[in-house]
PDB file of all heavy atoms in Angstrom:
ATOM      1  N   SER A 341      -9.833  -1.938  38.805  1.00  0.00           N
ATOM      2  CA  SER A 341     -10.692  -2.993  39.337  1.00  0.00           C
ATOM      3  C   SER A 341     -12.172  -2.655  39.241  1.00  0.00           C
ATOM      4  O   SER A 341     -12.998  -3.542  39.022  1.00  0.00           O
ATOM      5  CB  SER A 341     -10.327  -3.288  40.794  1.00  0.00           C
ATOM      6  OG  SER A 341     -10.536  -2.157  41.626  1.00  0.00           O
ATOM      7  N   LEU A 342     -12.520  -1.376  39.404  1.00  0.00           N
ATOM      8  CA  LEU A 342     -13.928  -0.988  39.439  1.00  0.00           C
ATOM      9  C   LEU A 342     -14.402  -0.295  38.170  1.00  0.00           C
ATOM     10  O   LEU A 342     -15.593  -0.343  37.845  1.00  0.00           O
ATOM     11  CB  LEU A 342     -14.183  -0.068  40.633  1.00  0.00           C
ATOM     12  CG  LEU A 342     -13.959  -0.705  42.010  1.00  0.00           C
ATOM     13  CD1 LEU A 342     -14.111   0.342  43.107  1.00  0.00           C
ATOM     14  CD2 LEU A 342     -14.929  -1.850  42.236  1.00  0.00           C
ATOM     15  N   LEU A 343     -13.494   0.351  37.451  1.00  0.00           N
ATOM     16  CA  LEU A 343     -13.893   1.111  36.260  1.00  0.00           C
ATOM     17  C   LEU A 343     -13.305   0.553  34.977  1.00  0.00           C
ATOM     18  O   LEU A 343     -13.695   0.985  33.893  1.00  0.00           O
ATOM     19  CB  LEU A 343     -13.465   2.578  36.403  1.00  0.00           C
ATOM     20  CG  LEU A 343     -13.941   3.332  37.647  1.00  0.00           C
ATOM     21  CD1 LEU A 343     -13.434   4.763  37.627  1.00  0.00           C
ATOM     22  CD2 LEU A 343     -15.456   3.300  37.750  1.00  0.00           C
ATOM     23  N   ALA A 344     -12.373  -0.404  35.079  1.00  0.00           N
ATOM     24  CA  ALA A 344     -11.691  -0.939  33.893  1.00  0.00           C
ATOM     25  C   ALA A 344     -11.224   0.196  32.993  1.00  0.00           C
ATOM     26  O   ALA A 344     -11.434   0.195  31.778  1.00  0.00           O
ATOM     27  CB  ALA A 344     -12.616  -1.899  33.128  1.00  0.00           C
ATOM     28  N   THR A 345     -10.584   1.164  33.607  1.00  0.00           N
ATOM     29  CA  THR A 345     -10.133   2.356  32.895  1.00  0.00           C
ATOM     30  C   THR A 345      -8.693   2.648  33.274  1.00  0.00           C
ATOM     31  O   THR A 345      -8.342   2.607  34.455  1.00  0.00           O
ATOM     32  CB  THR A 345     -11.026   3.563  33.250  1.00  0.00           C
ATOM     33  OG1 THR A 345     -12.384   3.242  32.928  1.00  0.00           O
ATOM     34  CG2 THR A 345     -10.612   4.801  32.488  1.00  0.00           C
ATOM     35  N   THR A 346      -7.881   2.961  32.282  1.00  0.00           N
ATOM     36  CA  THR A 346      -6.455   3.197  32.520  1.00  0.00           C
ATOM     37  C   THR A 346      -6.225   4.654  32.896  1.00  0.00           C
ATOM     38  O   THR A 346      -5.509   5.391  32.213  1.00  0.00           O
ATOM     39  CB  THR A 346      -5.634   2.818  31.272  1.00  0.00           C
ATOM     40  OG1 THR A 346      -6.138   3.551  30.145  1.00  0.00           O
ATOM     41  CG2 THR A 346      -5.745   1.335  30.981  1.00  0.00           C
ATOM     42  N   VAL A 347      -6.810   5.049  34.011  1.00  0.00           N
ATOM     43  CA  VAL A 347      -6.745   6.444  34.452  1.00  0.00           C
ATOM     44  C   VAL A 347      -5.312   6.882  34.726  1.00  0.00           C
ATOM     45  O   VAL A 347      -4.949   8.042  34.483  1.00  0.00           O
ATOM     46  CB  VAL A 347      -7.611   6.634  35.717  1.00  0.00           C
ATOM     47  CG1 VAL A 347      -7.374   8.007  36.340  1.00  0.00           C
ATOM     48  CG2 VAL A 347      -9.088   6.474  35.372  1.00  0.00           C
ATOM     49  N   ALA A 348      -4.476   5.974  35.227  1.00  0.00           N
ATOM     50  CA  ALA A 348      -3.113   6.356  35.606  1.00  0.00           C
ATOM     51  C   ALA A 348      -2.307   6.858  34.413  1.00  0.00           C
ATOM     52  O   ALA A 348      -1.282   7.522  34.600  1.00  0.00           O
ATOM     53  CB  ALA A 348      -2.398   5.188  36.272  1.00  0.00           C
ATOM     54  N   CYS A 349      -2.751   6.578  33.192  1.00  0.00           N
ATOM     55  CA  CYS A 349      -2.060   7.102  32.007  1.00  0.00           C
ATOM     56  C   CYS A 349      -2.130   8.617  31.952  1.00  0.00           C
ATOM     57  O   CYS A 349      -1.372   9.250  31.203  1.00  0.00           O
ATOM     58  CB  CYS A 349      -2.678   6.514  30.742  1.00  0.00           C
ATOM     59  SG  CYS A 349      -2.426   4.736  30.537  1.00  0.00           S
ATOM     60  N   ALA A 350      -3.057   9.198  32.732  1.00  0.00           N
ATOM     61  CA  ALA A 350      -3.226  10.653  32.702  1.00  0.00           C
ATOM     62  C   ALA A 350      -2.456  11.343  33.820  1.00  0.00           C
ATOM     63  O   ALA A 350      -2.657  12.535  34.048  1.00  0.00           O
ATOM     64  CB  ALA A 350      -4.716  11.000  32.811  1.00  0.00           C
ATOM     65  N   GLU A 351      -1.571  10.657  34.493  1.00  0.00           N
ATOM     66  CA  GLU A 351      -0.816  11.300  35.557  1.00  0.00           C
ATOM     67  C   GLU A 351       0.107  12.385  35.008  1.00  0.00           C
ATOM     68  O   GLU A 351       0.308  13.424  35.639  1.00  0.00           O
ATOM     69  CB  GLU A 351       0.010  10.264  36.324  1.00  0.00           C
ATOM     70  CG  GLU A 351       0.817  10.866  37.463  1.00  0.00           C
ATOM     71  CD  GLU A 351       1.598   9.830  38.261  1.00  0.00           C
ATOM     72  OE1 GLU A 351       1.713   8.667  37.786  1.00  0.00           O
ATOM     73  OE2 GLU A 351       2.081  10.171  39.344  1.00  0.00           O
ATOM     74  N   CYS A 352       0.685  12.138  33.838  1.00  0.00           N
ATOM     75  CA  CYS A 352       1.680  13.062  33.290  1.00  0.00           C
ATOM     76  C   CYS A 352       1.120  13.971  32.203  1.00  0.00           C
ATOM     77  O   CYS A 352       1.699  15.030  31.919  1.00  0.00           O
ATOM     78  CB  CYS A 352       2.866  12.279  32.721  1.00  0.00           C
ATOM     79  SG  CYS A 352       3.680  11.226  33.933  1.00  0.00           S
ATOM     80  N   HIS A 353       0.044  13.577  31.564  1.00  0.00           N
ATOM     81  CA  HIS A 353      -0.519  14.357  30.460  1.00  0.00           C
ATOM     82  C   HIS A 353      -1.914  13.839  30.202  1.00  0.00           C
ATOM     83  O   HIS A 353      -2.326  12.798  30.730  1.00  0.00           O
ATOM     84  CB  HIS A 353       0.335  14.207  29.196  1.00  0.00           C
ATOM     85  CG  HIS A 353       0.709  12.779  28.887  1.00  0.00           C
ATOM     86  ND1 HIS A 353      -0.214  11.843  28.476  1.00  0.00           N
ATOM     87  CD2 HIS A 353       1.892  12.122  28.980  1.00  0.00           C
ATOM     88  CE1 HIS A 353       0.385  10.674  28.301  1.00  0.00           C
ATOM     89  NE2 HIS A 353       1.669  10.816  28.609  1.00  0.00           N
ATOM     90  N   HIS A 354      -2.670  14.538  29.383  1.00  0.00           N
ATOM     91  CA  HIS A 354      -3.992  14.053  28.997  1.00  0.00           C
ATOM     92  C   HIS A 354      -3.859  12.663  28.378  1.00  0.00           C
ATOM     93  O   HIS A 354      -2.895  12.374  27.651  1.00  0.00           O
ATOM     94  CB  HIS A 354      -4.641  14.996  27.985  1.00  0.00           C
ATOM     95  CG  HIS A 354      -4.866  16.391  28.499  1.00  0.00           C
ATOM     96  ND1 HIS A 354      -5.326  16.654  29.763  1.00  0.00           N
ATOM     97  CD2 HIS A 354      -4.695  17.608  27.901  1.00  0.00           C
ATOM     98  CE1 HIS A 354      -5.428  17.960  29.938  1.00  0.00           C
ATOM     99  NE2 HIS A 354      -5.044  18.565  28.823  1.00  0.00           N
ATOM    100  N   HIS A 355      -4.818  11.821  28.651  1.00  0.00           N
ATOM    101  CA  HIS A 355      -4.799  10.450  28.134  1.00  0.00           C
ATOM    102  C   HIS A 355      -4.747  10.482  26.612  1.00  0.00           C
ATOM    103  O   HIS A 355      -5.485  11.223  25.964  1.00  0.00           O
ATOM    104  CB  HIS A 355      -6.065   9.724  28.596  1.00  0.00           C
ATOM    105  CG  HIS A 355      -5.948   8.236  28.594  1.00  0.00           C
ATOM    106  ND1 HIS A 355      -5.762   7.504  27.449  1.00  0.00           N
ATOM    107  CD2 HIS A 355      -5.998   7.329  29.605  1.00  0.00           C
ATOM    108  CE1 HIS A 355      -5.709   6.213  27.749  1.00  0.00           C
ATOM    109  NE2 HIS A 355      -5.847   6.083  29.063  1.00  0.00           N
TER     110      HIS A 355
END
Side-chain angles (χ1 to χ4, degrees):
S341 62
L342 296 175
L343 305 180
T345 303
T346 56
V347 170
C349 293
E351 181 178 13
C352 302
H353 47 69
H354 299 318
H355 202 296

